Amino acid sequence: MKAPVSKVTLDQLPVTAIKGVGASLSAKLAKIGLFSVQDVLLHLPLRYMDRTRITPIGALQPNVNAVIEAEVRACDIVFGKRRSLVCKVQDGTGTITLRFYHFNNAQKQRLVNGTRLRIFGETRRGASGLEMYHPEYDELDTAAPLPLAQSLPPVSPATEGLTQPRLRSLAAQALKLLDQYVLNELLPAAVRHQLNQVSLAEALRYLHQPPTNANIQQLMDGEHPFQQRLVFEELLAHHLSLLLLRRETQADGAQRLTINAALQAQFMARVGFELTRAQRRVVDEIAADLAKPIPMLRLVQGDVGSGKTVVAALAALAAVSSGVQAAIMAPTEILAEQHRLNFGKWLEPLGIRIGWLTGKLKAAERRNQLAAIASGEAQVIVGTHALFQEAVDFARLGLIVIDEQHRFGVHQRLTLSEKGTIGGDIAQSGICRPHQLIMTATPIPRTLAMSAYADLDYSVIDELPPGRTPVTTVVISDNRREEVVERVRLACAQGRQAYWVCTLIEESEALEAQAAEVTAAQLAESLPQLRIGLIHGRLKPADKEEVMAAFKAHELDLLVATTVIEVGVDVPNASLMIIENPERLGLAQLHQLRGRVGRGSAASHCVLLYGSPLSQNGRERLRVMRESSDGFYIAEQDLLLRGPGEVLGTRQTGEMQFRIADLQRDSHLLPAVKDAALLLMSDYPRECEYIVQRWLGQNHRYLQV
Ligand code: ADP
Ligand code: MG
């Protein structure tokens, strides 16, 4: 390999160094986060097309990329929902429709009948047979035939105003600069050799311009070794960013918190039960963290009903014992309200003042609460994410508890810890951060946890409190609905309570609420003897609270609900749950819902009332629910059946925006990624930062802190 002529590195070289890139193009590139030549090189193809072969139209399948050669038969502007140019082309074997939404008159005029085109795009099934939307095409001249492409053209993530040919030519120009400038190899040789990896430059050349003999299937699947080389580095960058963030956070120091033994004894007496062995172990792990002068960053995983709340309350008690405030954040109003009740019941008798803050407070009440938080009068503050808005000023925030973390993004976690530094006059010198305790009932398979929570220590409550009877789950088709209604009647006649859950329809809270209303009305008709309540996301918070309180107080027998009741809601006397159309939900969510029953001593049942016919995958998923109540097993199955985006929640994966990595496809790399990250953190501090910068660039959370 030639030595580069310049010492300038490609990450320092602006895109304008590429031939033909001026102000307007560089502005477009900036929009998609491409600032340097290195960025352009790392803007990797998402797919590849095989342009080395021409396919007869008659042999085309839907949803494939293909090159065809055909003659224009008709070309018209069509005024449908959107004005479009529709062009029919034909070869000896069939006809296909080309559709353009962006076009100009000149383009239309050239597409006259009889014009021969080489067209290339993705087929889809349209109203009139196969269609291609916005295909690329060239006019064919019989006198001078166009050669077929010599490589497999890559398709890169595009943006408005940047066509595929444009992106390809940019990449080609950028590749030329690889010879003249330096592209730093950031992976230590030891890591690369161990993984048998090629150089970054070699991988980039290949992936932007794969040779015709490349294994196209492997490339399309993202499993080519050169792709994996880059995937590895990208996963490493994400992992490192979390580790750096952790180091940064912990460098700031924290107040040591220790629990007052007498207060703890009083508290346990109020609570009225013994901790399980698992709860004790986790409480000890937390206590050990809190006693250190560095901020705790700990994730507690515990299946639904494993008793995380009391563990959080004990941590809050340590904060109060040590003279600082604890903030407890829940993802929904309902859950926050429930925590307020529990914390109030357990802590207020010990003389501890509970603060309360949600987005729905009236102005005067909000002012009072804010004042109590700012003065330190409120010692344990329960609320929703309203707790962490600008206007909230804590006197001495020493501990943050985030419940049901999967509902929040990683970013929110950070804003919170920042909060503690405001008004954190605990330390004489430097910044003091609050300890952070993060709780989740969504068990995350190990591999995913490793990458999503690399910045957190990890505790598991792997035991349920005694005296629970397992929930029996049955799967029933909705044409046996009447039997199920009868079952509800019987259970309630015996003094039990039941939930009837209506699941989400097409992501619309309004439609979901409507469906729940209809269901509640129907059930009221068939079960006139029951007291039926209704709860959904569209109700006012005060109304929601009222309904929940009535159900808890057994003033209602049956609660018709949408999935808003999913998290945390605790009514031990409820022993029957009907879930309508469970096939619409992910397993983790079903598991959460089902966790609402089986909290008391009565044998509990969950009826999965599916809409038939059920797909193969749907059948599989419901089988998992029937056979297992182990959250970890269910999460593993969910991962297999649905993929990591669904398991981690879109929030989380949305933030973990990968350019080429795919957590599910590439999870086998994670153990090696973790090892490499530890090695880099200890021996290659500069490379750590460069790798993170290379892959996360502007999105780099660590840089923002
Ligand atoms: P989750 O982990 O789902 O948040 P909760 O903290 O809501 O669970 O606890 C579920 C129920 O179990 C609550 O009613 C709680 O009071 C009760 N509980 C928690 N720990 C114990 C225990 N060690 N013994 C008996 N009951 C317990
Ligand atoms: Mg809970």
Side-chain angles (χ1 to χ4, degrees), residues 576-596:
L576 174 62
M577 172 172 280
I578 319 296
I579 305 177
E580 274 198 78
N581 300 108
E583 69 277 8
R584 287 181 186 148
L585 300 182
L587 294 186
Q589 207 181 358
L590 282 172
H591 182 64
Q592 283 275 336
L593 280 171
R594 185 172 61 180
R596 301 306 110 221

Side-chain angles (χ1 to χ4, degrees), residues 308-309 335 339 403-404 568:
K308 292 182 292 294
T309 316
L335 194 52
H339 282 337
D403 196 13
E404 305 300 348

Side-chain angles (χ1 to χ4, degrees), residues 282-283 285-287 289-290 295-301 308-316 327-329 398-405 413 416 434-440 456-457 459:
V282 173
V283 166
E285 284 165 355
I286 293 170
D289 284 352
L290 294 179
M296 167 172 77
L297 289 168
R298 184 170 290 277
L299 176 73
V300 173
Q301 271 202 34
K308 292 182 292 294
T309 316
V310 68
V311 170
L314 277 164
I328 320 293
M329 176 163 93
L399 169 72
I400 292 165
V401 179
I402 305 172
D403 196 13
E404 305 300 348
Q405 128 78 22
R413 235 159 64 201
L416 305 195
H435 296 278
Q436 290 187 61
L437 179 62
I438 291 140
M439 306 198 295
T440 176
L456 302 174
D457 295 310
S459 299

